[in-house]
Amino acid sequence: MGRRAEREAVEQLLAGARAGHSGALVIRGEAGIGKSAVLAYARDSAVGSGFRVEHSVGAESESQFAFSGVHQLCAPLLDRAGALPAPQQAALGVALGLRDGPAPDRFLVGLATLNLLAEVAEESPLLCLVDDAQWLDRASAHVLAFVARRVGAERLALVFAERDPGAGEAPPFAGLPELRLDPLGETDAWALLTTASRAPLDDAVRARIVAEARGNPLALLELPRTAQPAHLAGGFEVRDGPDVPRRIEEAFRRRSGDLPPGTQQLLLVAASEPTGDVLLLWRAIAHLGLARELATPAEVAGLLEIGARVRFRHPLVRSAVYQAATPPDRRRAHAALAEATDPEADPDRRAWHRAQAVLGTDEEAADGLERSAGRARARGGVAAAAAFLQQAAELSPEPAARARRALEAAHAKHEAGATEAALDLLAVAAGGPMDALSRARLELLRAQIAFHRNRDSAGPQLLLDAARTLAPLDAALARQTYLQALDAAIVTGDPSCGVVKVAEAARDAPAPPSSPQPADLLLDALVTTFTRGYEAGVPELRRALTAFARDEPRPGSAGGSDGHRWLWLASRTAMAVFDDETAHVLAARHVQLARETGALATLPAALLVRSVLLVLSGEFARAAELADEQTTITASTTAVPLLHAQLILAAWRGRSSETGDIQATIVREAARRGDDTEVSLAQYALAVLHNGLGDYPAARTAAIRAFQSEELTHSNLAHSELIEAAARAGQPESAAEAVDQLCTRARASGTPWALGMAARAQALTISGPAAEDQYREAIKQLQDSRMGGYLARTHLVYGEWLRREGRRQDAREQLRTAHQMLSDIGAEAFTARAARELRATGEHPRTRNAQPTDALTAQELHISRLVATGATSREIGSQLFLSPRTIEAHLRNIFRKLGITSRRQLRELHLP
């Protein structure tokens, strides 16, 4: 009653799914407000129109069992899992405990779940209903939220019912389309009460009940059933306070309290075991000497239904029964359930019940939970592992065991994103006896949490202190921590704990415990670079980068001996030594490995570095594709957006408004965290933008600020912008330091990219025939590199110089080349600058002809490029974390925009 708008929203969602437009809807409201009724309406409507319907129900005590919610939803569908790509089959099988294997990334499990649901939806539209989503285990909540954000052209609808979050809570389904259930209006409330009342009520009593219920439908149904007869005769009490769900729970508590003692015991056992397994319930009550017939009074009272599964009238019945029981009664119920649970088939649930049955501490129960934590982690359930370990620590009788388990729980909590809980557990661990290594690991975790939370100078300093402590205890971990401290110092750019200070401290790092791995070589090379200078460090940096390039992934591994972890730093370091080939190789490998392993937590950072390299190479279209993919992934995973690639691309394209908006966002966030490097990066982007627009004083001001950053100086990004801006602003002397440094580094590097940029810098700051020699040398060297963006801009500055020398014909040739190259790559401001120069020579620049692919979005261009390589829709979907059906829908749009009808025709097109 009174839910017309809600019914229409559900019908619209189902209609879209039938037509091949997937969608998700979150129904939110207080307990008893009617969320389950809307789900029931969705179920009945879907079944009546040919949908297949699958269910999952969250339960508060199930939150410690990783992927239990996904298992509920997907178990009936697993006969179709064979259609999934092998990595996805493996990930889903491991997550659901159906096979052994390395712990899968939860987003790869999400992709597998999405594709499994899409496979089923090929046969008939599919509706997935998730009730009490606020109680899903964390792994399931993340997976299903990911699926809801990635659905596209499947015949699939997902509906989640979720209670209002508490203060400060971030529900996993935030950001999805939401339908909030408000209380019923007075007219509908009166109508519902009249329809549901089993006994006549006079108007005064009815008015009091309506006031008491405050529009909550379940309250309207339940409060009259538990009211005293005298109240129903005219004295119903209206209480103060708005907490209607609590009153409903009290009503259920009173109703269950009127049942026979044996029935109350049976209800408590059922409330303590949320799986609804009927046979388990019968075995457990048999341990307590209770007969099955004792369930009948609870069924008659409308509190419980026992059929294929045990179902409560409402989740509030379960919580009312459980909360009303005394602690000894609860322990007896859990003990009976532990005895009734098969230790081979379900060891984790047995360990959990065993732990709930403990009074005080119990090493055997704690050990069982610790083993459960190991199994949860092996399945990718980090949050579940953390919960098991936390409870194991609480049950540990020995202080040393309690401290050890608390430390492991803190690590798992931090990994799962529960930072505050991790800090609380660290406090527990710190209060117990620990050996030196454990104490050092504790301080390391404190440092990692501090850097994760604030990304300020305190993080590098804490990491440095942790590395020093670890040095005599664990050489490998100490070296990793020193490298992490160096990376943190580069990223934050805070002078109070700068790169040089960290590098000087890292000279004391212990030797590698075995043959040096690529990360060991990188640490030593960076230490040399920052303590002895760039020229001294280049040979060691090259050795380290060569080791990374040769460090091929082993079959079934996450990527070589160092995995993904240091490719982020290695590919940036390759840029620092002007090794464009190695930089592209390492950045591409980082993206590839993250895709193959489904590591969506690290893929955005990998895409960022790859995108920036592509911008500098003049491959703007491909850079835009990857930046767009990065944006959609961070939206799907609700990660913090990394806007650096978008910023640099917008600046090189010359889009003032877009660059300004992104720059303002980055600076605002950087100011909140105290991150100097991000502010400097924003200044670099402004320098590029203003150089393109020809506003050289503004470009010079921004470039000077960028040049003061250790990160941008280390990566050599700021030098060329400062040199060009200073030269064109008539103040070449202000870039003298940048020229000297760039030329020195070029000689040490010796790559065509480096030598080309050095020659360009010298040409910009000298005059006469020597300048022309340097311009020609710059073009010659850059033609042998992959840096197409810099090559095009070098033709531009050479043409400008020639025009100012009065050599109009020679200038036209260079400016014509620059205009064509800059126009082709999409550098709009630099193209306009070249056009102005061409017009000044008396030549009218040609307008770029529109291309059919101009109408494609970045994602459509990316899909087109993959199709052109011969990839199937399933292969493309696996790479882009979309379903094959969604890829096919994108292809139909691509064909329509391009005026073609087949993949073969697409392969024949020349894609930019």
Side-chain angles (χ1 to χ4, degrees):
M1 292 185 175
R3 299 297 189 200
R4 179 176 179 180
E6 290 82 353
R7 295 198 305 270
E8 289 176 351
V10 167
E11 290 161 3
Q12 185 176 0
L13 178 71
L14 295 178
R18 274 194 301 273
H21 302 293
S22 298
L25 184 63
V26 180
I27 301 168
R28 187 163 283 134
E30 67 178 8
I33 201 67
K35 301 184 296 295
S36 297
V38 176
L39 259 62
Y41 177 81
R43 178 198 62 216
D44 295 342
S45 300
V47 170
S49 55
F51 275 75
R52 176 171 179 168
V53 180
E54 297 297 340
H55 302 80
S56 182
V57 181
E60 193 167 11
S61 53
E62 287 285 275
S63 59
Q64 296 190 52
F65 298 98
F67 299 107
S68 60
V70 171
H71 194 279
Q72 280 187 62
L73 191 66
C74 293
L77 314 176
L78 290 175
D79 59 321
R80 300 299 302 271
L84 302 180
Q88 295 178 33
Q89 286 188 52
L92 189 61
V94 172
L96 301 185
L98 305 175
R99 62 188 291 178
D100 294 327
D105 184 279
R106 70 173 185 267
F107 295 117
L108 185 57
V109 178
L111 180 62
T113 304
L114 169 62
N115 281 330
L116 179 63
L117 298 179
E119 284 289 335
V120 174
E122 287 291 326
E123 295 179 356
S124 62
L126 175 63
L127 172 64
C128 297
L129 301 174
V130 182
D131 205 352
D132 283 320
Q134 76 278 356
W135 286 334
L136 284 172
D137 64 278
R138 189 180 180 91
S140 291
H142 280 297
V143 164
L144 294 178
F146 172 81
V147 170
R149 293 185 176 97
R150 297 298 286 183
V151 291
E154 307 82 10
R155 295 189 298 168
L156 173 62
L158 300 101
V159 184
F160 304 92
E162 185 176 45
R163 288 190 191 174
D164 291 326
E169 292 182 20
F173 302 102
L176 293 174
E178 183 176 308
L179 182 64
R180 175 165 186 81
L181 295 189
D182 294 320
L184 294 179
E186 188 172 343
T187 300
D188 290 314
W190 276 74
L192 178 59
L193 180 60
T194 301
T195 303
S197 295
R198 293 176 295 178
L201 301 172
D202 63 41
D203 287 347
V205 172
R206 187 176 288 112
R208 287 174 178 269
I209 295 174
V210 169
E212 172 86 1
R214 300 179 186 270
N216 185 294
L218 187 61
L220 289 163
L221 297 175
E222 295 299 330
L223 292 179
R225 301 183 65 171
T226 54
Q228 297 297 322
H231 291 161
L232 294 178
F236 198 87
E237 177 184 4
V238 180
R239 305 178 193 177
D240 294 330
D243 196 350
V244 174
R246 187 171 299 174
R247 296 179 210 160
I248 302 172
E249 195 169 6
E250 290 174 2
F252 284 133
R253 189 177 297 125
R254 288 195 298 272
R255 201 194 310 176
S256 64
D258 292 337
L259 297 173
T263 301
Q264 291 185 47
Q265 282 186 281
L266 183 145
L267 270 176
L268 177 57
V269 174
S272 303
E273 175 43 63
T275 63
D277 186 331
V278 178
L279 296 179
L280 178 60
L281 174 63
W282 297 148
R283 291 197 300 271
I285 65 169
H287 279 288
L288 296 172
L290 301 176
R292 297 183 182 186
E293 289 74 20
L294 288 168
T296 302
E299 291 183 292
V300 172
L303 297 175
L304 192 71
E305 295 177 7
I306 298 182
R309 302 188 70 77
V310 180
R311 298 185 186 277
F312 281 90
R313 162 81 171 83
H314 189 274
L316 287 176
V317 179
R318 182 191 299 278
S319 61
V321 169
Y322 195 81
Q323 295 301 324
T326 65
D329 286 341
R330 290 182 205 162
R331 289 195 292 272
R332 276 194 295 272
H334 283 293
L337 286 163
E339 289 297 322
T341 301
D342 187 337
E344 296 296 326
D346 203 347
D348 298 335
R349 202 172 300 279
R350 187 176 191 275
W352 182 78
H353 281 303
R354 174 77 179 82
Q356 304 307 308
V358 169
L359 174 62
T361 59
D362 186 309
E363 176 58 29
E364 183 181 350
D367 181 65
L369 287 170
E370 188 171 9
R371 282 185 271 116
S372 291
R375 287 188 289 269
R377 183 180 280 281
R379 293 167 58 189
V382 180
F388 280 126
L389 284 166
Q390 182 175 6
Q391 194 170 15
E394 293 167 359
L395 293 181
S396 301
E398 294 296 326
R402 185 184 307 119
R404 176 180 60 79
R405 287 165 176 154
L407 177 59
E408 295 305 320
H411 277 283
K413 287 284 187 184
H414 175 55
E415 191 176 345
T419 303
E420 295 302 325
L423 289 172
D424 291 342
L425 284 161
L426 281 179
V428 173
M434 306 179 82
D435 61 24
L437 178 57
S438 296
R439 184 72 61 183
R441 288 183 63 234
L442 185 149
E443 294 306 323
L444 171 59
L445 183 55
R446 281 195 199 279
Q448 290 169 335
I449 290 173
F451 183 63
H452 174 76
R453 293 173 75 187
N454 301 316
R455 296 181 72 83
D456 58 14
S457 61
Q461 183 62 58
L462 289 171
L463 288 166
L464 187 57
D465 293 342
R468 287 169 171 150
T469 304
L470 283 162
L473 306 169
D474 186 327
L477 185 55
R479 291 182 65 83
Q480 288 181 18
T481 307
Y482 273 120
L483 189 54
Q484 189 176 356
L486 264 175
D487 191 25
I490 293 171
V491 167
T492 59
D494 192 308
S496 63
C497 187
V499 177
V500 173
K501 176 181 176 181
V502 176
E504 288 173 346
R507 283 189 294 196
D508 296 330
S514 57
S515 60
Q517 297 297 307
D520 292 311
L521 298 175
L522 183 58
L523 171 63
D524 294 338
L526 288 172
V527 167
T528 298
T529 301
F530 288 116
T531 58
R532 294 173 49 204
Y534 187 92
E535 292 174 273
V538 164
E540 292 185 40
L541 289 172
R542 286 194 177 284
R543 259 195 312 277
L545 294 172
T546 300
F548 271 102
R550 291 174 177 170
D551 190 37
E552 292 291 344
R554 298 183 301 274
S557 77
S561 59
D562 284 283
H564 298 169
R565 186 170 186 184
W566 299 112
L567 282 172
W568 153 266
L569 180 57
S571 51
R572 287 158 46 218
T573 302
M575 293 174 62
V577 295
F578 295 101
D579 189 344
D580 48 318
E581 287 295 337
T582 301
H584 276 284
V585 167
L586 296 180
R589 179 180 298 168
H590 196 186
V591 171
Q592 177 191 354
L593 290 172
R595 289 196 202 284
E596 290 176 353
T597 58
L600 264 70
T602 59
L603 181 55
L607 289 168
L608 186 159
V609 176
R610 182 89 171 110
S611 298
V612 170
L613 268 171
L614 290 169
V615 172
L616 302 182
S617 300
E619 299 177 69
F620 289 8
R622 293 187 66 196
E625 294 164 24
L626 298 187
D628 179 73
E629 181 186 356
Q630 177 202 16
T631 300
T632 58
I633 287 173
T634 52
S636 298
T637 60
T638 65
V640 176
L642 300 173
L643 300 175
H644 310 76
Q646 289 87 336
L647 174 68
I648 292 174
L649 178 59
W652 273 76
R653 279 176 162 170
R655 298 179 179 178
S656 301
S657 178
E658 185 180 346
T659 304
D661 290 344
I662 300 172
Q663 184 256 356
T665 299
I666 287 178
V667 169
R668 184 169 58 250
E669 288 300 307
R672 184 177 60 82
R673 294 192 302 266
D675 193 327
D676 292 340
T677 295
E678 293 204 347
V679 174
S680 299
L681 182 69
Q683 292 298 320
Y684 159 76
L686 290 179
V688 173
L689 176 68
H690 291 310
N691 271 330
L693 296 171
D695 186 354
Y696 303 115
R700 175 179 167 274
T701 299
I704 287 173
R705 293 175 183 169
F707 189 67
Q708 293 168 353
S709 162
E710 285 183 325
E711 162 68 349
L712 270 75
T713 305
H714 173 62
S715 63
N716 301 307
L717 276 177
H719 297 72
S720 60
E721 301 307 327
L722 174 56
I723 293 164
E724 182 172 339
R728 288 292 183 256
Q731 296 177 289
E733 68 283 354
S734 63
E737 181 185 354
V739 173
D740 290 344
Q741 192 176 90
L742 184 57
C743 292
T744 299
R745 293 182 176 190
R747 287 192 294 272
S749 169
T751 68
W753 177 16
L755 296 173
M757 297 305 291
R760 181 181 189 274
Q762 290 176 308
L764 281 164
T765 52
I766 59 177
S767 59
E772 181 163 19
D773 291 342
Q774 292 298 327
Y775 277 124
R776 290 184 176 278
E777 176 66 13
I779 290 171
K780 174 178 175 294
Q781 293 290 348
L782 289 172
Q783 284 174 336
D784 290 334
S785 77
R786 295 186 58 169
M787 295 294 107
Y790 286 121
L791 174 61
R793 288 178 60 181
T794 301
H795 280 291
L796 173 59
V797 293
Y798 181 27
E800 291 172 332
W801 180 83
L802 288 168
R803 188 181 74 79
R804 284 160 180 73
E805 291 290 306
R807 297 164 55 183
R808 298 176 68 178
Q809 188 61 39
D810 293 337
R812 285 176 188 155
E813 180 182 349
Q814 293 299 323
L815 292 171
R816 198 180 297 128
T817 300
H819 185 271
Q820 182 68 52
M821 293 178 68
L822 292 165
S823 176
D824 286 346
I825 67 177
E828 297 160 12
F830 286 107
T831 301
R833 181 173 140 189
R836 289 194 299 272
E837 291 288 328
L838 266 175
R839 283 192 288 270
T841 67
E843 179 171 322
H844 188 72
R846 293 182 180 179
T847 303
R848 176 179 176 271
N849 294 326
Q851 301 296 318
T853 53
D854 292 347
L856 300 182
T857 66
Q859 186 178 53
E860 288 169 346
L861 189 57
H862 196 176
I863 291 170
S864 300
R865 201 186 306 282
L866 293 171
V867 169
T869 67
T872 66
S873 294
R874 189 175 297 280
E875 291 168 342
I876 297 170
S878 296
Q879 180 166 330
L880 300 185
F881 299 91
L882 296 167
S883 76
R885 190 179 180 97
T886 297
I887 298 300
E888 290 292 338
H890 282 302
L891 267 178
R892 288 192 292 272
N893 286 334
I894 292 166
F895 289 169
R896 176 178 54 78
K897 290 180 178 181
L898 298 182
I900 60 177
T901 58
S902 71
R903 290 170 179 256
R904 180 185 57 78
Q905 289 174 287
L906 185 58
R907 286 193 290 269
E908 291 171 354
L909 289 176
H910 178 67
L911 296 173

